[in-house]
Amino acid sequence: QKEVEQNSGPLSVPEGAIASLNCTYSDRGSQSFFWYRQYSGKSPELIMFIYSNGDKEDGRFTAQLNKASQYVSLLIRDSQPSDSATYLCAVSTGGFKTIFGAGTRLFVKA
Amino acid sequence: EPEVTQTPSHQVTQMGQEVILRCVPISNHLYFYWYRQILGQKVEFLVSFYNNEISEKSEIFDDQFSVERPDGSNFTLKIRSTKLEDSAMYFCASSEWGPSGSSYNEQFFGPGTRLTVL
């Protein structure tokens, strides 16, 4: 069974701090890795995707991928209260199916 | 900005009844997906659809489920005989491109239909 694991949280950080979210996956054949943000009662929204080992930065967000360790992370710099949401890690093995983790709840305290 | 739309926003049905959930993908998108999310649980892939046929489906997508693109704009998910455990949020998504090696095209999610089976 292919799994994507995340700490459910909640992760609480003060406004302006760096939030670090982590994810591990079980299928070594996984090729594409995604971070979605989901506000309560809303649909997932793609924040970042990454394919290659290393870091990928987009504004305040940095995704990090380590395929050898089967580990993906998301850093949010200068966290804002509006970043408070559930962050979903998702993985694809190259086909159409995307496997989601259960998500980490993030609270950014003003 | 173009968006995926879904109707209805909330559907209440009796166990054993058939339901059809409707989606209008973004107009130039060619790939369509259904996901479900049981309250408090993971988003789960159900099925993907391209060129008028299912391209991939999960083990959840059994004979009780079917998908259809009845015209040039709508994409539907039918559940033939609903069960209590079908109660969930159902998300439709669409993308302009499909998976291709290391590339990926963003899937845009609709707002969801909350299905409640009594």
Side-chain angles (χ1 to χ4, degrees):
Chain A
Q1 181 78 352
K2 299 172 185 177
E3 298 285 343
V4 176
E5 300 290 339
Q6 296 180 255
N7 187 321
S8 62
L11 172 66
S12 184
V13 300
E15 184 175 358
I18 295 175
S20 178
L21 304 162
N22 306 312
C23 169
T24 59
Y25 59 94
S26 62
D27 188 352
R28 284 197 171 272
S30 300
Q31 298 183 13
S32 308
F33 308 87
F34 314 97
W35 283 100
Y36 286 83
R37 178 175 61 200
Q38 187 176 31
Y39 292 111
S40 181
K42 302 296 185 182
S43 56
E45 174 191 10
L46 183 67
I47 301 173
M48 295 280 292
F49 60 89
I50 186 168
Y51 309 119
S52 305
N53 278 327
D55 295 359
K56 179 182 178 182
E57 186 174 319
D58 184 1
R60 294 188 296 114
F61 300 98
T62 299
Q64 299 174 316
L65 173 61
N66 184 326
K67 289 187 177 181
S69 301
Q70 295 176 240
Y71 177 89
V72 193
S73 66
L74 179 71
L75 300 177
I76 306 174
R77 289 180 298 281
D78 188 23
S79 296
Q80 301 297 309
S82 58
D83 294 327
S84 298
T86 298
Y87 288 81
L88 311 178
C89 175
V91 172
S92 171
T93 55
F96 290 90
K97 183 175 182 179
T98 302
I99 300 171
F100 283 79
T104 298
R105 286 181 296 149
L106 172 66
F107 290 109
V108 180
K109 299 175 292 185
Chain B
E1 185 174 327
E3 58 184 15
V4 177
T5 59
Q6 292 186 243
T7 54
S9 57
H10 191 189
Q11 174 87 50
V12 181
T13 189
Q14 296 291 326
M15 190 169 54
Q17 295 297 303
E18 175 184 286
V19 294
I20 297 176
L21 310 182
R22 291 182 167 78
C23 168
V24 178
I26 294 173
S27 61
N28 64 328
H29 286 189
L30 301 177
Y31 297 81
F32 314 116
Y33 313 82
W34 282 103
Y35 294 84
R36 80 173 185 189
Q37 187 175 31
I38 296 170
L39 187 63
Q41 297 188 25
K42 299 179 181 183
V43 174
E44 299 174 291
F45 170 85
L46 293 178
V47 66
S48 59
F49 191 86
Y50 168 68
N51 200 25
N52 280 321
E53 63 182 21
I54 291 173
S55 46
E56 192 163 355
K57 62 182 180 179
S58 72
E59 56 278 3
I60 302 169
F61 194 88
D62 60 21
D63 292 343
Q64 291 297 314
F65 292 90
S66 62
V67 288
E68 191 179 31
R69 187 156 165 82
D71 52 44
S73 60
N74 290 284
F75 178 51
T76 62
L77 174 69
K78 180 191 290 186
I79 309 174
R80 288 191 183 80
S81 178
T82 50
K83 302 186 282 288
L84 295 176
E85 54 265 38
D86 293 327
S87 295
M89 182 74 90
Y90 287 81
F91 294 111
C92 173
S94 69
S95 65
E96 187 173 3
W97 307 100
S100 175
S102 62
S103 69
Y104 176 82
N105 192 263
E106 180 176 358
Q107 292 184 26
F108 291 82
F109 280 71
T113 293
R114 179 165 298 284
L115 176 65
T116 302
V117 182
L118 302 176

